[in-house]
Amino acid sequence: MNTETQIMEAAKKVFLEKGFDGTRMQNIADVAQINKSLLHYYYRSKEKLFDAVFNDTFSKFVPQVLGILNNELPLREKFILFAKAYSKMFFENPFIPSFILHELNRHPEKIVSYIKQGGTLKNSAEIPKVFFDQINKEIEQGNIRPMAPCQIIVNLLSLTIFPFVARPIIEGVILNFANIEYNSFINERIDLIPSIMMESLKPVV
Amino acid sequence: MNTETQIMEAAKKVFLEKGFDGTRMQNIADVAQINKSLLHYYYRSKEKLFDAVFNDTFSKFVPQVLGILNNELPLREKFILFAKAYSKMFFENPFIPSFILHELNRHPEKIVSYIKQGGTLKNSAEIPKVFFDQINKEIEQGNIRPMAPCQIIVNLLSLTIFPFVARPIIEGVILNFANIEYNSFINERIDLIPSIMMESLKPVV
DNA sequence: GTCTATATTGTGATAGAC
DNA sequence: GTCTATCACAATATAGAC
């Protein structure tokens, strides 16, 4: 593993956990087990290093969402696939959702710069169209109840992502009271989420 | 308005927007229009000032949740009340959810210290019991389908809070594509959320 | 209680030897 | 490419006059 990727790996670890403001360059150097000045040699400044980390992380995040929503599967299968893929991903990288949401709230303009800069989002910016069309068609045919596609997407995102962002509250207050383990709670949700999504779309008789 | 509350108001503004790591004491002093050393005169250190802000904000957050879930209304009314109260609150204080979630992820131990220290949570720690009993009773009577009360609470929290935490993504990517205003999107959700919650609980025939 | 001045340490960034 | 040494400034915190 060369120095540059070593730095990138270390930077991801530290930035993801502590955010831009909470991160010290020295801390990254320690984790990468290299000299502090090498950070500047490879990435000029803290901000440039951060941007590299952020864009890379964001690239894994958003396009996957749109990718799953874009394929040709029926609605239920999409929800199942989505809940499973994202729960697994966040389980393995617990800091990603909180990191992205926090940094985007502090610097919303980074979304714009990310889209302009290219990233994977540029190509996938048109992707929700497929999902939108699918929803509208299903509504037209009376298979599901009328609901704005945006609301459906946000429902899915909310039910899937929020439990990871709010883990300390959920674990420390809610689950603690009911004496339930966080892991089994999340596992239960993987089946629950598609079910809720489908119920919410059942046509009114 | 005396100096102490002036400082507290300013500290809330700055901490809520920038978080602990992103906040500068000078910045708070500027907003409060007082001298920097007065911050230390009244609150000894940055951390103590932050804790005062955090506990005060957290106090408005969690107990209200539990309060609404604890009253004697039927389920549907609780969901309606909840979605309305919280959407309104976050609309007026857009930084609260992101602030709390970020700081709790950085310092999960603050929940424990908050509970120990008293706050409003100490008394309300037993409150979910009422909601739990209500759910279990409804399930027993066959009025709703079996679902763990914790899952129900988290569903409600997710659907209500997440759209505020993820505003930049939702607004910049999803709504932007569909050409929808954030305000009307949120308003639509206030009615949508209780409906989803009830549908997800409809007994299986 | 409020101000000015200053101590002290931390932190991003660079210069220059090797 | 990698290291040591160091600059320049930012930031928390305190001392002490008024």
Side-chain angles (χ1 to χ4, degrees), chain A residues 3 34-35 37-38 41-42:
Chain A
T3 307
I34 49 112
N35 192 285
S37 11
L38 284 182
Y41 177 79
Y42 283 98

Side-chain angles (χ1 to χ4, degrees), chain B residues 67-75 77-78 130 134:
Chain B
I68 291 179
L69 295 182
N70 184 43
N71 60 31
E72 291 301 325
L73 296 170
L75 275 184
E77 314 306 318
K78 283 190 183 180
V130 174
Q134 181 180 25

